[in-house]
Amino acid sequence: DAEITQSPRHKITETGRQVTLACHQTWNHNNMFWYRQDLGHGLRLIHYSYGVQDTNKGEVSDGYSVSRSNTEDLPLTLESAASSQTSVYFCASQDGSNSYEQYFGPGTRLTVT
Amino acid sequence: AQTVTQSQPEMSVQEAETVTLSCTYDTSESDYYLFWYKQPPSRQMILVIRQEAYKQQNATENRFSVNFQKAAKSFSLKISDSQLGDAAMYFCAYSPLTSGTYKYIFGTGTRLKVLA
């Protein structure tokens, strides 16, 4: 069965370190998204991609970057982790057809100390 | 700016009763999708129901139905015969049908508690 996975599921890191969160989908979807979830804010869009070599900034992109070298993966990098980036991160994919449904990964809980 | 508002941070319902979760949105677009997602304690985001704005008929999925009022920009979720497994965080989401745009805008969520 097709799926979307995220790794690691939990991570603790120190302020200033570079961190990369992995997202891998086997749906063969063109569209992929990264969100962060914080209490009182719901899910906010960090970055998104509509295909290989395409990346775009979302509403809370400062301090984050993504790259899309193939269809299956969209890794999210925190260049220099800050305590404000402690959050739960979700990756999602979407085929961009008429359903517009996004399929979500299980989430990564990141703690920056 | 397009926004989604869920004004009820928390709701409670007795098992087997009916509950309605509210969602309002602001947009100047005429064509768009609206969604309700459920997030149980496992954190997994699960699509509950979807509504296309150009369809006047309200969407239904078993015990879940929506009341879509396009002019009022309102999209409420009704859960009938509530079950303990319905306890979760519920998010309303909006996605414009503008060509080439597939992003979602989420509300802040409503936590639903189901009382036995």
Side-chain angles (χ1 to χ4, degrees), chain A residues 9 31 33 35 37 40-43 45 48 50 88 90 94 96 98-102 104-107 109, chain B residues 33 35 37 39 42-45 47 50 52 89 91 95-98 100-104 106-109 111:
Chain A
R9 296 293 310 277
N31 302 344
F33 307 82
Y35 297 91
Q37 182 179 9
H41 290 279
L43 280 78
L45 184 63
Y48 59 101
Y50 290 156
V88 178
F90 285 95
Q94 180 195 55
N98 57 6
S99 75
Y100 272 58
E101 179 179 354
Q102 292 188 12
F104 285 80
R109 180 177 294 279
Chain B
Y33 277 101
F35 305 86
Y37 276 84
Q39 186 182 46
S42 67
R43 279 202 321 239
Q44 184 66 51
M45 293 285 285
L47 178 65
R50 169 179 55 230
E52 294 91 334
M89 197 76 170
F91 290 99
S95 183
L97 277 173
T98 306
T101 301
Y102 303 96
K103 297 183 290 183
Y104 282 13
F106 282 92
T108 53
R111 182 171 302 282

Side-chain angles (χ1 to χ4, degrees), chain B residues 8-34:
Chain B
Q8 306 153 316
E10 192 170 290
M11 295 279 286
S12 295
V13 62
Q14 206 70 34
E15 197 176 4
E17 296 296 308
T18 296
V19 64
T20 298
L21 309 184
S22 300
C23 173
T24 59
Y25 57 94
D26 187 22
T27 183
S28 57
E29 303 281 343
S30 58
D31 291 329
Y32 46 86
Y33 277 101
L34 296 163

Side-chain angles (χ1 to χ4, degrees), chain B residues 59-76:
Chain B
T60 62
E61 287 288 342
N62 300 313
R63 298 182 295 107
F64 298 87
S65 61
V66 299
N67 183 6
F68 173 50
Q69 302 289 329
K70 190 172 183 180
K73 296 180 183 175
S74 172
F75 182 62
S76 60

